[in-house]
Every structure is written in structure tokens, then in C-alpha cells.
Amino acid sequence: MTTPTAHTARFDRGRWADAGAETVRAGVHRIPLPLPDDGLRAVNVYALEGLTEGLVLIDGGWSIPESRKALEDALATIGHDLGEITHVLVTHIHRDHYTQAVELRRLLGSRVYLGSGERRSLELLGETGTDRPSGSLHTLRRAGAHELAERVAAMDHGGFDPSVWEAPDRWLGDEEIHFADTRLRVVPTPGHTRGHVVYLDEARGLLFSGDHVLPHITPSIGFELGSTALPLGDYLDSLRLLTTLADARLLPAHGPVGPSVHTRVGELLDHHDDRLAQALAVLGDRTLTAYAVAQELGWTRRQLPFADLGAFNQMLAVNETAAHLDVLVARGRVARTETEGVLRYTAAVTS
């Protein structure tokens, strides 16, 4: 096994998931941590040094032994150790971001921060005793994909460990937090989850974007236990919000660092405009469920047929399709009816 090494900001973009630490700029290091059997390959956490409080992490990673070892090894290459981590600022509640933050608190006494919009999701985890995506399964059934919902529900979701779903030390709203001379603006960006936040370092021109803005892919929408009325509408509003802030370098949770948040946000908005148009075109003059529409769309950058996706990714595809159709309903472009708990969509007649 090779020894992880520190890298400069010229780190090979195609190998962003390689173990080690990439120095984004002085005092800011990107550390990719492994994910078990996950197509995303790794999750980036960011270590901020030079603070009187010790090391601050943006996101914590997934609570598995391989992740903690990778974090420990990467910190060693920049002259630090786990014991210096005093604060972990989490972007959202998904387990590849939150659960190791809780584990680090138990191990080191670090303080954990999370957006206040995630409070209900965390409560639901305790109430249901499962981290299966029940909200997404409900959407599948409403989309007419009952058999797919049963297949996804029967999958091994990794087991439920309540100890890694403890509450944070502090809930964050739309505010600014200070660590020595570093100021981070907390910006709520609901959509991927209802309580997702990003952290903006205005002085250094850096945005720690979590899963809200990713360089190569679009995040799933509303993938959580509960549900919201219009998650894609929330997501698009959150993207537009970022265009009202000063542009910054993109420091995402998955993928390499990017030069411009505004450029990538523009690409994401264009992508969703295209998907809205494609969903409307599939409907044509027919009345269809979101499941039926999803089966006629192409998926991923390779435009794969729906049938070529695995069950989990089919669930994400149907959920995304439903989210786009619901935005078209909100815009008056599509009508929606419900029969026996299943939603069907029809393009609105225009004069």
C-alpha cells in the first residue's frame, strides 16, 4: 500500500479521490475519504489550520475504520493529528458527511455543527429507528413504481446504528461563525436535503459547497427520510441564491476543486431547464406517471436507458423525474391528478 502524500493545488483532477491531502491554498486542505461500495468513490473533507481553536473540518466523512485511518494518515502529511480537530462543520445529514463527525466528537471531544433545517430529519431517524430513505420510497409508490419500491426497501442499507445519529452541539441558521481571523458565512441551501448548508469564506474567496454544487454531477433531490412539498423548487432557488453572492472557488464534497461557483451554478440551472423540457416532451399529449416518464428519459452523462440502471439508481431517477414534473405543475405547465394514491401528469393545454 502506498503512503498518502500531501499535494499542491495542481493535484490531478482525474484522480481527485486518491488518498492524501491537497493544499487548496495556504491553511486549507482537501482530504478525500473512502466510501464503502459507493459510485461516488470518496467524500471530500476540508481541514482548516492556523486557527487558535485547533483544526476545523468541513464535513466529517462516513464512520468506517477505513475513513478514520485515511483522515489520520492525510493529516500526518501536513503535520497534524486527529487530536487537533476541535470543530466539525457539517453541510448536511447524509451519513457520508455526518456520521464520522459524531464519532470524532466521541473520540476527541470535538464540537459538531449542523444546519437547523436538518433537525426534523434527525428526529425522524430516532423515531423510526431506520435510515432507509422512506421519503424516497413514498415518492416511488406515488409515482406508480410499487415493485421497485419493494426491491429498494429489501436492499441492505448498511444497518442502523443510533450512536452515529446523535444531535449536533450547535444548530446553525443563516449566520456568520468566527474561528480566530477566519469568518465563515453559513448559507442555508435546501434542496438536496431540507437542511443543507454551504460555508462561504468571503475573505479567501472559497465556497465549501457540500453536495449542493458538484463539479461533474447533479445531486439527488430530497433524498431523506421525510419529504418536502417542492424539493427541486427549493434546490433551484438555492442555486440562484449563490449567484447573488460574490463568486468563489468551488470546494465540493465530491470531485475536484473548481475555479468558479457561478460558472458551475449556471451549468446546473441550464441542465435542469433541459430536463424540464425533456420531461414535458415525453408527456406529449399523454397522461403518465413519473415512473413511466423516467423510463423514457436518458440517465447519467452517458444517457443510459432506465433499464440499464440498478434498483437504487432507478429510485433516484424516478424521484428526480417526479421532482421535475412537480415543478412543471407549480409553473402551470402540467396538470396533476391522483387516483388510489398514484399521481399522474398531463401537459396543460396552451392556447
Side-chain angles (χ1 to χ4, degrees), residues 2-332:
T2 58
T3 302
T5 57
H7 300 274
T8 70
R10 295 185 296 275
F11 193 85
D12 185 341
R13 291 168 60 86
R15 299 176 58 189
W16 69 270
D18 286 358
E22 174 193 6
T23 300
V24 176
R25 59 163 296 161
V28 180
H29 309 276
R30 184 185 67 84
I31 300 174
L33 300 180
L35 300 176
D37 301 320
D38 195 296
L40 291 173
R41 299 170 61 197
V43 59
N44 295 324
V45 305
Y46 294 88
L48 280 59
E49 62 182 346
L51 311 178
T52 57
E53 290 88 350
L55 288 177
V56 173
L57 292 189
I58 309 292
D59 279 327
W62 192 320
S63 181
I64 55 174
E66 301 93 325
S67 178
R68 195 168 91 190
K69 180 65 163 57
L71 177 59
E72 186 173 22
D73 288 347
L75 288 177
T77 68
I78 56 174
H80 296 288
D81 58 50
L82 289 178
E84 296 176 68
I85 300 170
T86 56
H87 299 78
V88 187
L89 280 55
V90 183
T91 58
H92 63 293
I93 201 173
H94 286 165
R95 59 186 176 180
D96 57 326
H97 297 255
Y98 189 67
T99 58
Q100 186 160 258
V102 175
E103 184 66 25
L104 290 172
R105 177 175 63 186
R106 185 177 298 112
L107 179 69
L108 308 170
S110 310
R111 289 176 57 81
V112 176
Y113 296 65
L114 185 66
S116 59
E118 302 287 41
R119 187 188 296 267
R120 182 56 188 150
S121 295
L122 198 60
E123 291 172 348
L124 283 170
L125 282 163
E127 292 170 10
T128 62
T130 178
D131 53 5
R132 290 193 310 169
S134 58
S136 296
L137 295 174
H138 176 68
T139 299
L140 281 184
R141 297 183 180 101
R142 300 263 284 172
H146 295 87
E147 186 273 336
L148 176 59
E150 294 309 310
R151 279 193 287 140
V152 174
M155 293 171 62
D156 180 5
H157 294 276
F160 181 70
D161 178 2
S163 69
V164 296
W165 296 111
E166 296 171 352
D169 296 282
R170 179 175 167 186
W171 295 104
L172 297 172
D174 186 350
E175 61 185 275
E176 189 173 82
I177 51 180
H178 299 184
F179 299 101
D181 294 331
T182 297
R183 298 185 179 188
L184 295 174
R185 178 175 174 184
V186 184
V187 183
T189 50
H192 179 57
T193 67
R194 74 189 83 186
H196 193 291
V197 299
V198 299
Y199 298 97
L200 176 62
D201 185 337
E202 294 177 289
R204 293 189 280 195
L206 305 174
L207 182 80
F208 302 93
S209 67
D211 283 3
H212 181 56
V213 182
L214 299 172
H216 295 150
I217 59 175
T218 60
S220 58
I221 302 299
F223 181 55
E224 52 195 336
L225 277 179
S227 59
T228 54
L230 201 64
L232 180 60
D234 293 339
Y235 178 68
L236 296 176
D237 287 344
S238 297
L239 286 177
R240 295 186 191 101
L241 172 63
L242 294 186
T243 67
T244 69
L245 307 176
D247 198 8
R249 292 184 72 189
L250 173 64
L251 276 60
H254 306 282
V257 171
S260 168
V261 171
H262 285 185
T263 297
R264 182 55 182 156
V265 165
E267 294 169 352
L268 288 168
L269 289 169
D270 288 345
H271 164 79
H272 285 288
D273 283 344
D274 289 344
R275 294 301 275 182
L276 289 166
Q278 291 165 17
L280 195 59
V282 168
L283 277 180
D285 59 1
R286 298 178 291 174
T287 297
L288 299 174
T289 63
Y291 182 40
V293 174
Q295 290 173 293
E296 296 190 31
L297 292 170
W299 295 98
T300 78
R301 286 179 292 171
R302 294 181 289 161
Q303 292 296 292
L304 295 175
F306 181 86
D308 288 357
L309 304 176
F312 187 84
N313 285 323
Q314 285 185 347
M315 175 189 70
L316 296 180
V318 173
N319 277 254
E320 179 180 315
T321 303
H324 282 87
L325 291 167
D326 287 339
V327 165
L328 289 169
V329 171
R331 293 180 179 180

